[in-house]
């Protein structure tokens, strides 16, 4: 069965780093869709600069025209700090126990996994696919011990293995390295530098119209 991909994040704002990650993993893993799930109020980071509605609108603009990309509003609609493990439980109930689900993470997010709520249960609910990201090393010596153990036990190098089981594997993927970050985009706008070509023009037009990040 074709796996679905889940890409959670703050998306403050969404940029080409997110979109290329999703696009390349659709191709590599034959995902039927990627669900972009913006976080309501991330408990582990400071409050986003744009409102939840603005972050959602930017995703809507960014994914327009891509039939496999879906905006999933569930965490924002809940309006409480949502946990990924709970979102995956919900999806599991909706899609059934056989549906392969891939939680898509950049290398920085993967390295931070041990600080997530009930993080080891994530592997019971989904595969974890880790995209390379410039500036973050996936060398095992530099990883938290428990995370390294999970990686060693679950590592797979073979995309079809993610289609034949609902979850439980970890795969790493060397996507096109793009050193783009939302933090750097916001900091650039603040000092008057244009983020043109780092994110879709439609998103940039929206940022300007809403006078965001200035
Ligand atoms: P910030 O700079 O504020 O940390 P961000 O650019 O990392 O933001 P998030 O919304 O936090 O954006 O990221 C959502 C997901 O996308 C995370 O799993 C993150 O690792 C991944 N991601 C973001 N940018 C990239 C990139 N350039 N390359 C690979 N993965 C990325």
């Amino acid at each position: 069965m074709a796996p679905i991909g889940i890409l959670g994040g703050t998306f403050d704002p969404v940029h080409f780093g997110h979109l290329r990650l999703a696009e390349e993993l659709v191709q590599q893993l034959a995902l039927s869709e990627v669900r972009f799930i913006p976080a309501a109020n991330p408990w582990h980071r400071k409050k986003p600069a744009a409102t939840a509605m603005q972050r959602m609108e930017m995703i809507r603009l960014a994914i327009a025209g891509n039939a496999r990309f879906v905006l999933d509003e569930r965490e924002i609609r809940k309006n409480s700090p949502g946990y990924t493990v709970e979102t995956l439980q919900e999806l599991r109930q909706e899609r059934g126990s056989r549906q392969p689900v891939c939680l898509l993470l950049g290398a920085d997010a993967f390295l931070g996994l041990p600080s997530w709520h009930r993080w080891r249960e994530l592997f019971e609910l989904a595969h974890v696919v880790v995209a390379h990201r410039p500036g973050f090393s996936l060398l095992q010596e530099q990883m938290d011990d428990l995370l390294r153990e999970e990686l060693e036990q679950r590592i797979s190098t073979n995309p079809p293995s993610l289609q034949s089981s609902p979850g439980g594997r970890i795969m790493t993927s060397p996507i096109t390295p793009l050193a783009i970050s939302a933090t750097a985009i916001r900091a650039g706008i603040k000092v008057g530098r244009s983020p043109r070509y780092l994110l879709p023009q439609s998103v940039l037009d929206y940022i300007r119209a809403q006078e965001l990040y200035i």
Side-chain angles (χ1 to χ4, degrees), residues 7-12 15 17-18 21 45 104-109 131-134 175 178-184 186:
L7 182 60
T10 318
F11 301 109
D12 189 22
H15 54 66
H18 303 124
L21 181 158
R45 324 169 52 145
L104 313 180
L105 298 174
D108 58 313
H132 289 200
R133 183 172 187 180
I175 60 167
L178 292 171
I180 303 176
S181 90
T183 303
R186 294 195 304 274

Side-chain angles (χ1 to χ4, degrees), residues 112-190:
L113 216 50
S115 71
W116 291 24
H117 184 57
R118 291 160 51 197
W119 68 278
R120 296 180 96 168
E121 289 175 48
L122 296 170
F123 302 110
E124 288 158 29
L125 293 159
H127 301 298
V128 170
V129 179
V130 188
H132 289 200
R133 183 172 187 180
F136 298 93
S137 162
L138 286 173
L139 287 175
Q140 300 201 357
E141 310 78 83
Q142 295 175 22
M143 249 172 234
D144 173 282
D145 288 345
L146 291 175
L147 188 63
R148 187 175 54 244
E149 274 172 33
E150 293 285 3
L151 182 62
E152 280 167 359
Q153 284 166 26
R154 299 177 181 281
I155 190 78
S156 164
T157 50
N158 169 22
S161 72
L162 304 194
Q163 295 173 18
S164 55
S165 60
R169 304 217 175 243
I170 301 177
M171 211 183 98
T172 63
S173 170
I175 60 167
T176 304
L178 292 171
I180 303 176
S181 90
T183 303
I185 289 173
R186 294 195 304 274
I189 294 174
K190 191 147 226 128

